[in-house]
Amino acid sequence: MFTNYKDSVEWIHSRLKFGIKPGLKRMEWMMERLENPEKKIPIIHIAGTNGKGSTVSYLQNIFTEAGYKVGTFTSPYIEVFNERISVDGEPISDDEMVALVNEIKPLSEQLAETELNSPTEFEVITAMAFYYFGVVNPPDIIVLETGLGGKFDSTNIVEPILSVITNVGFDHMAILGNTIEEIAGEKAGIIKENAPVITGVRNDKALAVIQRTAEEKNVPLFALDHDIKINESSLKDNQELFSVSTPFNKYTDVVLTMRGEHQLRNASLAVTAIDYLQSENMFPLTEENMRTGLEKTSWKGRFETMSKDPLIIIDGAHNIEGVESLVDVVNRHYGDRKIHILFSALADKDFKPMIERLSAIATSMAFTTFDFPRAASAVDLYDACPMEDKSKSYYESWEEALEKFVQCDDDVYIVTGSLYFISGVREYLSR
C-alpha cells in the first residue's frame, strides 16, 4: 500500500521498463477483474497524429458549459501528472491518485504472474482512468484520447458512442507502420459498430482507409472538406473567427481563442460531434453553450503566450505536422515580425525536416537539450540546421538558452519541440 503521492507516481513510472506492448489482452484481463468499469459511462473516443488534445478540450468545455460532468483522459501531461485523468478540466487530487494506484497495483502484480506478463505504464494509467470514471467518480460522459495509434492502443477496449480521427501523419512509424495507409489503418482501428466516425483527415490515401473501415463496420462517416465545410475564416482581435457547416447545421462568426487554421479544423470536428449527438437527442445543449465552450477553450503548451513583453510563445510541435501548423500560425499572426526559435527534440524523432521547416521562417534558431533519457543532444540538433552559423547557436542548458535567447525588443520568441521539453520550460516561465 502506498501512502504518499510521490511513491505512487514513481511506481507508475517504474512500469516504463516494460516499454510499449501493443495489444488489448492485458487491458481486457484487468477490466474483467474490475467488472468492466469502461462500459458504464458513454465515451467519445479520439485518435489522430495531432489535434487530439485540442479536440478533447473543445468538447470538454462545451459539455461543461452545458452543465454536464465531463471526464477526460489525455497524454502526455504538461504541468502535473494528474492532468491525464481530469474532471471538468480539473486534474484529480493527489489523494485520489494514491488510492487508484493502490487499487491497480495488486492487479498489475497478479497479471505479471500470468503468460500475459506485466502491464506497461500506459496500460496501468488507462486502467486507473477507467476505474476512476466507472467506479470512484462517474461523470456524465468521457472524452477519451488514444495514447498511440488506435487498433492496439490500451484505450481501444471501449465501445464508444462516437469516434473521432483528427488526422493522420508520419509519427511513431516504428510501431504504426511506414506508409500513410498503414498508419491510417492503425488509427481506423478505433472505429466500432454503432459509433459514427468524424474525421479531419486530408490525405486521400489515409481517408480511403478510414472510409473503407467505416463501410465495413456499417457506420456513418462525416469527413471535413466533404461533409463538414469551413466556409470562411478571418482574424479578429487576435482571435480566430470562422463559419462552418456540418451535415446537421450551419454556424457563422464562431470565435476561437486558440489560434491557427488547424484549430478551426479541430473545432469543426468538435462542433460536428455535438451536432450529431443533438440529432440523436443525446446530451442536449444550446448553441450558446457550444459557442461559449469553444471560445473559452485553451490548451497548455499549444501556441501559448507565456510573456507579452517580450513576446514569448511556447508550442509543443513535436512532429512535422505539428511544425507545419506552428509555421501556419506564425505566418498568420506574426508574418511581419522577426522570429527567433528555441528548439529541442527527442533523438528518436525525425527532427531534421522539422528544423529545416522552422528555419525557413526564423531570423535565428537556438538549440538545446533537456533531462530526459531519449533527448537529442544540442549539437546534433544544431548540426541538422541549414542556417548560417551566425544565425544559429546551441546550449547544453536550456535555462541558459532561455536567458540568452530572449532579448527585450519587438521580436517574437518561440520555444518549441518535444512536449516533455515544453513542460519544463512552461513551469520555469510560470514562476
Side-chain angles (χ1 to χ4, degrees), residues 107-127:
L107 264 187
S108 168
E109 289 166 348
Q110 289 170 37
L111 180 54
E113 297 300 314
T114 73
E115 73 282 359
L116 296 173
N117 297 320
S118 288
T120 65
E121 183 200 44
F122 191 71
E123 287 168 339
V124 163
I125 301 163
T126 308

Side-chain angles (χ1 to χ4, degrees), residues 318-385:
H318 57 280
N319 53 35
I320 191 63
E321 284 79 17
V323 165
E324 290 289 358
S325 295
L326 171 58
V327 168
D328 163 65
V329 190
V330 171
N331 287 334
R332 198 174 168 88
H333 288 269
Y334 302 110
D336 58 343
R337 307 269 287 274
K338 287 183 178 177
I339 308 297
H340 305 278
I341 296 173
L342 174 61
F343 180 82
S344 194
L346 297 180
D348 54 12
K349 291 282 183 178
D350 187 12
F351 52 73
K352 194 168 191 296
M354 295 160 64
I355 292 169
E356 287 171 352
R357 188 70 187 91
L358 290 169
S359 68
I361 62 161
T363 304
S364 75
M365 286 192 75
F367 300 94
T368 189
T369 189
F370 58 105
D371 185 18
F372 194 77
R374 297 177 2 244
S377 74
V379 72
D380 282 351
L381 297 171
Y382 174 89
D383 288 342
C385 181

Side-chain angles (χ1 to χ4, degrees), residues 85-318:
I85 305 171
S86 294
V87 176
D88 294 338
E90 291 298 315
I92 64 171
S93 70
D94 290 357
D95 287 346
E96 286 173 316
M97 184 65 75
V98 173
L100 288 174
V101 168
N102 284 330
E103 190 68 44
I104 300 301
K105 184 173 182 278
L107 264 187
S108 168
E109 289 166 348
Q110 289 170 37
L111 180 54
E113 297 300 314
T114 73
E115 73 282 359
L116 296 173
N117 297 320
S118 288
T120 65
E121 183 200 44
F122 191 71
E123 287 168 339
V124 163
I125 301 163
T126 308
M128 287 166 55
F130 286 146
Y131 185 78
Y132 182 79
F133 294 136
V135 178
V136 179
N137 186 15
D140 298 310
I141 187 166
I142 300 167
V143 190
L144 184 75
E145 183 185 314
T146 61
L148 188 65
K151 187 184 296 180
F152 297 115
D153 186 76
S154 309
T155 61
N156 205 30
I157 56 170
V158 300
E159 294 166 7
I161 56 171
L162 194 58
S163 302
V164 179
I165 301 172
T166 55
N167 58 21
V168 174
F170 290 105
D171 204 2
H172 304 294
M173 290 157 68
I175 296 163
L176 302 181
N178 293 316
T179 68
I180 203 78
E181 293 95 332
E182 285 175 328
I183 298 170
E186 291 297 318
K187 310 283 186 197
I190 70 164
I191 298 173
K192 309 275 185 14
E193 291 173 6
N194 306 316
V197 194
I198 298 168
T199 186
V201 168
R202 279 173 143 165
N203 181 285
D204 289 341
K205 290 178 180 177
L207 185 58
V209 173
I210 290 162
Q211 286 169 327
R212 190 164 63 247
T213 309
E215 285 168 11
E216 287 167 1
K217 298 291 183 184
N218 196 28
V219 293
L221 171 69
F222 307 113
L224 196 53
D225 301 334
H226 300 272
D227 314 286
I228 311 156
K229 287 195 164 63
I230 296 168
N231 302 315
E232 53 188 313
S233 66
S234 59
L235 304 178
K236 182 186 177 186
D237 302 328
N238 222 16
Q239 295 181 313
E240 301 285 354
L241 187 70
F242 74 110
S243 300
V244 59
S245 53
T246 75
F248 311 93
N249 220 325
K250 289 185 178 178
Y251 304 94
T252 58
D253 298 332
V254 180
V255 178
L256 298 180
T257 306
M258 291 178 70
R259 293 180 284 174
E261 187 197 346
H262 62 297
Q263 292 300 352
L264 310 187
R265 299 177 71 80
N266 295 333
S268 296
L269 300 181
V271 169
T272 307
I274 296 296
D275 270 3
Y276 164 75
L277 294 175
Q278 304 310 290
S279 75
E280 295 291 313
N281 296 314
M282 299 166 75
F283 299 96
L285 48 77
T286 67
E287 183 177 330
E288 186 182 355
N289 294 150
M290 186 172 71
R291 287 177 176 274
T292 306
L294 290 172
E295 189 171 357
K296 278 186 177 178
T297 300
S298 61
W299 192 236
K300 293 169 188 166
R302 304 314 195 275
F303 210 78
E304 182 181 12
T305 300
M306 299 303 297
S307 162
K308 289 188 174 173
D309 187 17
L311 181 57
I312 305 173
I313 294 165
I314 62 171
D315 188 80
H318 57 280

